[in-house]
Structure formats: structure tokens, C-alpha cells
Amino acid sequence: MSGGLVVALSGGVGGAKLALGLSRVLPPDELLVIANTGDDFEHLGLSVSPDIDTLTYALAGIDNPATGWGRRDETWSFMEGLAALGGEDWFRLGDRDLATHVERTRRLRAGATLSEVTDDFRRRLGIGAPIVPMTDDRVRTRVRTDAGWIDFQDYFVRQQCRPVVRELAFEGAAQARPQAAAIAALRAGGVRAVVVCPSNPFISVEPILALPGMRETIRGSGAPVVAVSPIIGGAAVKGPTAKMMSELGLEVSAAAVARRYGDLLDAYVVDHTDAEGVADLGITVASTRTLMTTLEDRETLARVALDAADAARRPG
């Protein structure tokens, strides 16, 4: 099947890479990306949305290839000045990136929604496909460690994922309203596929699925749901996915990620090295090279994911 809207769930660097691939193989009006906002937080008086920004910078071609986050050709005068004054410098904000947070904060305080700000930034940066936050309401990922509950960015950046993760919670998710445009798109019919990008399932995808009615709306769309594994050969490409799986008592494998998503999935894309371990999942499985180091890699993986979804589509 070709044509029809593709809805992608994205969070973090892996999600942004595949979203970029999808944006290059699909027309802008056939892609909508839902971004995780559980990582959002307030820092130095600013509203920071790390996953939205990583996604926006990637699709605009202004992302920083060296760090995987932030903007290309960044400078750090603000952070140097802040550190000299004894300010909090554990969360790095480059000068160009800082402009995003300052302007977002100004607009939010003036009454705009996060969706409105994100959409305007997207248009100004020349991105064709819509990017929508999972919700305009406040949701914050919290991590329970042996020292108690801490905010996600404290765990992820300040403590560099060192604490052992015992439990995760998405504060505010139960009361949050899923972003209206995303829900409307999923309910409108004609959705070709829902693509779960190779993001951390616990802190990038599950906050989206935790919103009231989101999982049911995805299933009710009738579209095949395909996930791309963030695990390659028993290890994560980037970030704490493998460490979290181990600490939460899960096998570190592509199969364990699929089982975490449960009956949401109709199809699954894994790396060649993991093909044998997912043969008994009972869903459509495609194996390919899932490591995305080049732009061509991103486009190829996007095509494989769409082909897998099309193959899993139930007769209508």
C-alpha cells in the first residue's frame, strides 16, 4: 500500500533519526510525528522540551551530529558566563539552542500552547510534516532509584543515568489530554501505518501511550502498528535503554522490547543480528540493518518499516 497518513511516535535521538528518514520518503502531507514531552522540564526559568527540539532540529537539518542533541555549529558563551557566575551548568544550553527556549517560554507565558509554539517553530525552520507534542498538558517523567524519586533530567543529565532504576512514573499523564490534532488524525480513517520509532520504550514511547485513550485510539485507527527495535545485538545504540531493561528485570533483547509493547504491535523491525530471537512473536517481522549512521540509512530503514506495516495490514 502507498498513500495515506503515517503517524510516528518519537522521542530522543533514535526517534528523530527515523522521523527524518520518514520525512524524506513520504510527502509532507502523509506524515505526522507525535513527540514525547515527558522529558520536558523547567530550567533556569525556561521551558525546555528536549525531545521536541531534537526532532525539530533533525528534520530542519540543523541538528548537532557530534552530540546528537542541540544545534549544529553551536557556541557556548552563555554557559561559560553562567559557570563563571556560579550558576547551574549541569544541563548544557548552547547559544543558538538557548534562543529556542527563551522564545518558547515567552510565548507560553503569553498564553500560547506548546502545540502552537512547536508548529510555528516547525514552519519557520522549513519543516513540511507536522510535529505535535503528545499533549499540551504537563506530564513529567519521574524515576524511582534507591535514593527515592527524582526528576528525569536529574537522573538522565545531572547524574548521567548512574542511579539504579527501580520504577518509572509519568506524573500528570492520567489527567493529561492527548493532543487533539493527533487524535483527530488517528480517528479520521485512511491511516496507512503507526510507526513506533526506535526510541527508549520506557521513557520515550510509554509516556505517549500512557495518555488516556491513546493506546485505544491507535488500535481503533485500524492501521497496522510497526515498531523498530532500539536494541541491536543485546545492546542499545545510545542512551540508557539496555541499562534500564536490566535494572527493571527484563532481558536485554529486541524480543523483550516487542513483548513490552504487547498486543499494540502488528509488525516489528529488528537488526539482522536479532532476527532469530523474534521469530516466535507471532507478528510480521522484518530484519535489516537498523543502525542509522548516514542519511541513506535513515531512508532505507523508513522504507523497511513502511513495507513491514503494509505487509501486516489486515484485509479491510
Side-chain angles (χ1 to χ4, degrees), residues 41 138 140-143 149-157 159 171:
F41 77 128
R138 178 189 172 95
R140 296 292 182 267
T141 296
R142 301 263 293 163
V143 182
W149 286 97
I150 58 176
D151 292 337
F152 174 73
Q153 296 297 347
D154 190 349
Y155 160 80
F156 188 65
V157 180
Q159 303 194 50
E171 191 176 271

Side-chain angles (χ1 to χ4, degrees), residues 113-246:
T113 65
L114 183 59
S115 293
E116 291 169 342
V117 177
T118 301
D119 191 59
D120 189 59
F121 285 0
R122 187 264 304 178
R123 292 175 185 273
R124 290 176 182 274
L125 293 172
I127 301 169
I131 297 172
V132 298
M134 66 183 197
T135 178
D136 286 319
D137 296 324
R138 178 189 172 95
V139 175
R140 296 292 182 267
T141 296
R142 301 263 293 163
V143 182
R144 185 170 69 82
T145 72
D146 291 340
W149 286 97
I150 58 176
D151 292 337
F152 174 73
Q153 296 297 347
D154 190 349
Y155 160 80
F156 188 65
V157 180
R158 191 201 294 263
Q159 303 194 50
Q160 298 178 20
C161 306
R162 287 189 296 269
V164 174
V165 175
R166 300 300 183 189
E167 187 179 0
L168 292 159
F170 310 121
E171 191 176 271
Q175 296 77 39
R177 295 158 296 181
Q179 209 275 349
I183 294 298
L186 287 164
R187 289 176 175 168
V191 178
R192 176 183 177 184
V194 175
V195 178
V196 181
C197 291
S199 304
N200 184 311
F202 311 104
I203 56 176
S204 292
V205 179
E206 291 188 358
I208 301 174
L209 299 178
L211 297 172
M214 178 60 83
R215 184 181 280 266
E216 293 78 8
T217 301
I218 290 173
R219 292 306 297 165
S221 72
V225 181
V226 56
V228 178
S229 172
I231 297 293
I232 299 177
V237 176
K238 188 178 179 67
T241 303
K243 179 175 181 290
M244 281 185 168
M245 293 183 77
S246 178

Side-chain angles (χ1 to χ4, degrees), residues 71-88:
R71 291 190 59 162
R72 187 183 299 265
D73 301 324
E74 191 59 278
T75 55
W76 302 95
S77 298
F78 169 74
M79 293 306 305
E80 292 167 3
L82 184 67
L85 294 172
E88 289 192 50

Side-chain angles (χ1 to χ4, degrees), residues 15-158:
K17 287 183 175 181
L18 184 59
L20 175 58
L22 290 166
S23 75
R24 292 181 60 86
V25 303
L26 293 169
D29 62 351
E30 292 184 10
L31 176 63
L32 182 147
V33 187
I34 301 174
N36 170 48
T37 62
D39 293 6
D40 289 14
F41 77 128
E42 292 71 42
H43 185 57
L44 302 175
L46 302 174
S47 297
V48 182
S49 298
D51 284 0
I52 289 176
D53 295 340
T54 297
L55 183 61
T56 303
Y57 296 159
L59 267 61
I62 58 174
D63 55 314
N64 189 328
T67 61
W69 51 268
R71 291 190 59 162
R72 187 183 299 265
D73 301 324
E74 191 59 278
T75 55
W76 302 95
S77 298
F78 169 74
M79 293 306 305
E80 292 167 3
L82 184 67
L85 294 172
E88 289 192 50
D89 60 352
W90 58 272
F91 192 90
R92 303 281 288 168
L93 297 172
D95 300 330
R96 290 180 172 82
D97 187 39
L98 182 62
T100 300
H101 310 307
V102 169
E103 181 60 11
R104 173 189 295 120
T105 303
R106 185 191 70 78
R107 295 190 191 192
L108 292 176
R109 287 178 180 170
T113 65
L114 183 59
S115 293
E116 291 169 342
V117 177
T118 301
D119 191 59
D120 189 59
F121 285 0
R122 187 264 304 178
R123 292 175 185 273
R124 290 176 182 274
L125 293 172
I127 301 169
I131 297 172
V132 298
M134 66 183 197
T135 178
D136 286 319
D137 296 324
R138 178 189 172 95
V139 175
R140 296 292 182 267
T141 296
R142 301 263 293 163
V143 182
R144 185 170 69 82
T145 72
D146 291 340
W149 286 97
I150 58 176
D151 292 337
F152 174 73
Q153 296 297 347
D154 190 349
Y155 160 80
F156 188 65
V157 180
R158 191 201 294 263

